[in-house]
Amino acid sequence: MNYKSSRGQVSYVSAAEAIKKGIAPDGGLFVPEYIPELSEDIFKTLEEMNYQGRASRILAYYLTDFNEQEINNCVQGAYNAANFDNARIAPLFMLKENVYVQELWHGPTCAFKDMALQILPYLMTASMRKTGETSEIVILVATSGDTGKAALEGFSNVEGTRIIVFFPDQGVSEVQKRQMVTQEGKNVHVAGVLGNFDDAQSGVKNIFGSQDYITRLAEKNMKMSSANSINWGRLLPQIVYYISAYVELRAEGKVKDGEKINIVVPTGNFGNILAAFYAGKMGVPIGKLICAANSNNVLSDFIKSGIYDRNRPFEKTISPSMDILISSNLERLLFEITGQNAKKVSNWMEELKINGSYNVGEDVYQEVARLFWSDCCSDQDTIETIRHTWQEKSYLLDTHTAVAVNVYEKYLQATGDNTLSVIASTASPFKFGSSVAAAVLPPEMIAGRSEFELLCLLEEHTGVPMPDAIKGLQDREILHKTVCQVEDMGKTLADFLGVR
Ligand SMILES: *Cc1c(COP(=O)(O)O)cnc(C)c1O
C-alpha cells in the first residue's frame, strides 16, 4: 500500500514516509492509494479478538511496509493497562435501546486524541528507523486543547523527536491548559498563542510550507512533522475503534450480519468522522454518518448545502475542541468522493485560501448528502442535554459528547430513523468540569467556586470518579509560560529549537 497527496503533485510514498513527513510537500494530505475492503470472514475473525488484536489486524492493511512484529510492538506499546484505565480500551455503553456511547477517553489525557496519539510515537519511531532517518524529527502541533496534551504525553522523552505545541491562550478549558503547561519532558515545548485555533493551525501550516524554515532546521539536522490529524498516522488508528464497535455489536448479537448502523461524531477538524467514513468504505455497513457541530457550524452548513464558507465569526463555545472553522480533513473526504480527483480538490482548497469558501457542485453534494446528515447545537442546548441525560440515564456527558447526543436527538426527530446508533464520546466530563457542573449541580453550590473545586464537587455529588490524570493537576508546577502573537509563532519556534 502506497500513499499519495490529495493535491496530486507528489509521487507515491510508503506508509513510513507518509507518517514521517506528516503533510505532503505540495500542501496536500497523504491518502492511501485505495481503501481495502474486509471480507465477511475477516469481520468474523475480528469478533473473536480483543482491541489490540483488532488494531494489529486492521493496521496491517495500511502499513504494508511494517512487519507483523513491528505492528504488534506499536499496538502493545500503546494500548495497555499502564496507559488505559479500561481493559476494553474503547468500551461501548448502552445509553438506551439501540443507542450506544463509545467511550474513547480512557487514555492518559482523558480525550479521544489518546486513541491515536498513544500509538503515533511508536509508528513515528518505527518509520524513522525504516527509512534510515538521521535527522531529529520536530513535531509541530496546533491544538484546540486536546491534541496538544495527548501529543505531549505521547512524545515526551521519545528519542530522536522534539514536540512543540501551540494552543489558543484564551481558547481552552482550565484543565486543558493546566495539562499542557505542566508537561514534563526534555524534548517538549509549549506556547500559548494570542489568537484562536484557526490562527494557530494556519501559523503551523505556514511554517511547514516555508522553505526558509525547512532550510534553517536542516542546518541543525532537523525535519518537521505533524501530530495533527493531517498526519495519516493520526487518522489510521482511529479507524480501528469504529470497526471494533461494529464487530463487538455483532458478537453480542445486537446487530445482525449486514445490518446497518449509524455513527454520530462531535466534529471539529473532521478527523474523527473521516475515520468512520473510512471504516464504512472498508465494509462496516453504515446508514448515516451524523456530523454534530457546535455553533461554529461551518460543517453542518456544508453538509446541508454543498457550500463550504468559513466567512463567519469564530465563536468561543463550551465545547472548545470543536471551535474550528477550517476543517482540514474534509480535503481527504472530497478526494475520495470525487473519485480521487486531485485537480478538483486543489482548486477548492485554493478557493478556500483566497475567498474563504468553495462550492462542490451538485453531483458531489448529492454524494455528501447521501452519506452524511448534520446539524448544530448551541451552548444552552449542550448544557440542557448534559442535564437531562444525567437526570434520565445517570450518565455524565462531557460538553463535546453532549453536542453529539443533542444532534442525534434532532436527527431522530427529523427522520424517525431508529437504526442502531453509536455516538462517539470524545472526552471525560471532568475535562470540561465547570460547564458540566453548571448543568448538573444546583447554582448555589457552584457560585464562586474555582475550576478545581468544581471538579471535586462534581465527583462528590454524582459519584462518577474523577480520572487519576486530572486529580492533583492543580498542584503541579507550571513549566511553560511562553505566550506569543500569531505572527511570532515562527520566531518562537526558532527560539525553542535554538536555530538562528
Ligand atoms: C478534537 C476533539 C473533537 C473534534 O474532533 P475532530 O477529529 O477534530 O473532528 C471533538 N471532541 C473532543 C473532546 C476533541 O478533543
Side-chain angles (χ1 to χ4, degrees):
M1 164 84 71
N2 285 310
Y3 292 79
K4 55 188 171 183
S5 167
S6 55
R7 308 229 179 136
Q9 301 300 310
V10 179
S11 46
Y12 282 118
V13 300
S14 65
E17 280 291 342
I19 291 168
K20 194 176 76 180
K21 288 202 165 76
I23 186 166
D26 61 356
L29 307 185
F30 282 117
V31 282
E33 59 183 321
Y34 64 93
I35 299 171
E37 272 183 60
L38 306 182
S39 67
E40 188 50 33
D41 281 350
I42 304 275
F43 279 116
K44 290 220 167 76
T45 312
L46 293 173
E47 280 185 34
E48 310 293 319
M49 295 177 156
N50 63 10
Y51 192 86
Q52 293 81 348
R54 291 170 190 160
S56 294
R57 208 41 194 270
I58 294 160
L59 295 188
Y61 284 96
Y62 291 94
L63 305 177
T64 49
D65 48 337
F66 287 53
N67 66 36
E68 198 180 325
Q69 188 57 44
E70 287 170 321
I71 292 177
N72 285 340
N73 286 348
C74 293
V75 166
Q76 300 301 337
Y79 306 120
N80 58 48
N83 296 335
F84 283 79
D85 68 8
N86 186 301
R88 288 162 67 200
I89 307 296
L92 287 169
F93 174 88
M94 191 172 102
L95 198 57
K96 55 185 168 196
E97 182 77 22
N98 264 349
V99 183
Y100 291 78
V101 171
Q102 188 175 27
E103 295 177 350
L104 301 172
W105 41 263
H106 288 282
T109 76
C110 312
F112 89 94
K113 304 297 197 292
D114 289 325
M115 298 301 300
L117 282 161
Q118 279 300 304
I119 194 168
L120 183 63
Y122 291 95
L123 296 172
M124 182 68 76
T125 43
S127 299
M128 288 162 68
R129 209 166 42 238
K130 299 177 89 54
T131 54
E133 185 59 59
T134 53
S135 299
E136 191 175 22
I137 299 290
V138 175
I139 294 155
L140 286 190
V141 178
T143 181
S144 56
D146 289 326
T147 291
K149 174 60 182 180
L152 289 164
E153 189 76 24
F155 280 97
S156 170
N157 293 331
V158 171
E159 268 326 300
T161 70
R162 295 258 208 135
I163 168 95
I164 290 143
V165 170
F166 292 100
F167 70 91
D169 192 58
Q170 304 299 318
V172 298
S173 84
E174 184 60 30
V175 168
Q176 288 178 314
K177 187 170 190 165
R178 276 298 175 107
Q179 282 185 316
M180 290 187 278
V181 298
T182 59
Q183 178 69 44
E184 295 175 4
K186 60 180 170 18
N187 63 338
V188 309
H189 303 277
V190 179
V193 175
L194 297 170
N196 60 38
F197 171 73
D198 287 328
D199 298 326
Q201 177 164 254
S202 306
V204 163
K205 280 190 183 164
N206 286 341
I207 297 171
F208 275 129
S210 155
Q211 194 51 53
D212 178 43
Y213 272 99
I214 294 171
T215 312
R216 284 161 70 190
L217 264 67
E219 285 166 7
K220 295 273 276 185
N221 200 26
M222 293 173 175
K223 281 183 189 163
M224 292 182 277
S225 186
S226 169
N228 282 100
S229 53
I230 53 178
N231 192 325
W232 178 249
R234 251 296 290 281
L235 213 57
L236 173 56
Q238 296 181 214
I239 300 173
V240 174
Y241 47 78
Y242 292 113
I243 296 178
S244 180
Y246 171 63
V247 295
E248 213 155 295
L249 290 165
R250 277 176 51 138
E252 290 171 12
K254 302 289 190 335
V255 288
K256 313 219 167 34
D257 299 1
E259 187 182 333
K260 288 185 174 162
I261 61 171
N262 294 329
I263 295 179
V264 191
V265 186
T267 298
N269 223 355
F270 210 75
N272 204 5
I273 198 166
L274 182 73
F277 165 81
Y278 281 124
K281 284 284 220 185
M282 290 179 75
V284 173
I286 292 177
K288 280 283 184 215
L289 293 165
I290 299 167
C291 172
N294 67 21
S295 42
N296 292 292
N297 56 356
V298 61
L299 282 168
S300 52
D301 285 354
F302 172 71
I303 289 168
K304 287 175 190 168
S305 69
I307 298 168
Y308 193 92
D309 186 359
R310 61 154 299 199
N311 298 306
R312 62 185 74 204
F314 185 101
E315 308 267 352
K316 268 182 67 166
T317 73
I318 57 172
S319 43
S321 302
M322 294 155 64
D323 290 349
I324 295 176
L325 292 178
I326 306 174
S327 299
S328 301
N329 271 299
L330 197 56
E331 180 165 351
R332 284 188 169 112
L333 176 77
L334 294 173
F335 185 77
E336 291 304 329
I337 62 180
T338 54
Q340 305 203 333
N341 190 328
K343 183 124 192 21
K344 274 191 179 164
V345 170
S346 307
N347 289 342
W348 291 326
M349 294 306 129
E350 195 56 27
E351 282 177 46
L352 178 64
K353 199 166 175 183
I354 295 166
N355 307 320
S357 70
Y358 58 91
N359 182 342
V360 294
E362 189 57 24
D363 291 353
V364 175
Y365 168 61
Q366 286 304 334
E367 185 60 6
V368 169
R370 189 180 69 79
L371 296 163
F372 293 87
W373 192 91
S374 186
D375 211 336
C376 58
C377 171
S378 66
D379 277 357
Q380 201 183 342
D381 284 351
T382 306
I383 294 280
E384 193 40 56
T385 303
I386 297 171
R387 180 176 297 135
H388 77 237
T389 304
W390 174 247
Q391 283 169 353
E392 292 158 22
K393 306 286 169 204
S394 300
Y395 188 78
L396 203 56
L397 299 168
D398 96 289
T399 49
H400 304 75
T401 310
V403 167
V405 170
N406 175 272
V407 169
Y408 174 67
E409 287 167 355
K410 288 175 176 149
Y411 173 77
L412 266 188
Q413 201 133 57
T415 65
D417 173 17
N418 243 323
T419 302
L420 186 148
S421 297
V422 175
I423 300 172
S425 174
T426 50
S428 154
F430 287 91
K431 255 195 130 161
F432 305 92
S434 54
S435 305
V436 176
V440 301
L441 301 180
E444 60 278 10
M445 187 185 287
I446 60 178
R449 302 285 188 164
S450 75
E451 178 83 16
F452 289 98
E453 287 170 339
L454 287 174
L455 295 184
C456 295
L457 284 172
L458 195 59
E459 179 175 47
E460 208 177 296
H461 286 267
T462 61
V464 177
M466 191 185 322
D468 287 342
I470 291 175
K471 279 185 194 148
L473 200 54
Q474 87 252 42
D475 302 322
R476 295 240 195 96
E477 189 188 349
I478 293 178
L479 303 169
H480 306 278
K481 295 181 181 153
T482 306
V483 178
C484 71
Q485 301 285 347
V486 179
E487 313 78 76
D488 293 335
M489 286 171 61
K491 187 177 169 303
T492 302
L493 172 72
D495 289 346
F496 282 153
L497 297 177
V499 302
R500 60 167 181 82

